[in-house]
Amino acid sequence: MATDQIKSELNQHYRLLSKQIRENNKEPDPALYFHRGMICLSLRDNCAAIADFNEAIRLDPNHAEAHFERGKAWYLEGQPHKSRYDFEEAMRLDPLLKHEIEQFQEQFHSFKELTDANSSSVVDRIEHNLLEESFSH
């Protein structure tokens, strides 16, 4: 499946989730914000992803995956000091996430080391992997 087609489908899902969020504004659902944040992360809109994960966490402070994904977004934004809190909180809430966090950090550092001279290709590869990964879920 071509990347443009994936982006188009993700944008369609984004619009549907946004509509559901608007319609359920009296009883907000953290899952809707979480899933929309995942789409934003896949579309390389880390700031929007962080905002949605913030809302998911505000609605459900024990949402371990929202902490983990927000940590990834902060990490991709070049702010590992902010991601550290989220990664630690995610592991506290769900110790099984430790392996995924370590895997993410390893992948990020491996790509960075391989192409340090061309940092945009590192980000492009990581974001492409995130895009493919989120579409497969």
Side-chain angles (χ1 to χ4, degrees), residues 63-75:
H63 197 308
E65 287 189 28
H67 283 280
F68 171 51
E69 297 298 338
R70 185 174 69 179
K72 286 168 57 174
W74 281 124
Y75 211 86

Side-chain angles (χ1 to χ4, degrees), residues 12-36 39:
Q12 182 179 4
H13 289 297
Y14 178 88
R15 288 189 297 277
L16 289 172
L17 285 168
S18 295
K19 181 180 177 190
Q20 287 179 317
I21 288 170
R22 281 191 307 278
E23 291 172 354
N24 297 321
N25 66 349
K26 291 183 181 175
E27 292 182 33
D29 182 353
L32 295 175
Y33 287 97
F34 173 76
H35 290 296
R36 192 171 72 173
I39 290 170

Side-chain angles (χ1 to χ4, degrees), residues 5 12 20 24 27 32 48 71 91 96 99 101 108 111 114 120 126-128 133-134:
Q5 184 179 353
Q12 182 179 4
Q20 287 179 317
N24 297 321
E27 292 182 33
L32 295 175
M91 286 187 290
L96 297 177
H99 178 70
I101 292 167
F108 188 85
F111 282 137
L114 287 173
S120 65
I126 290 170
E127 290 173 342
H128 178 75
E133 193 177 288
S134 71

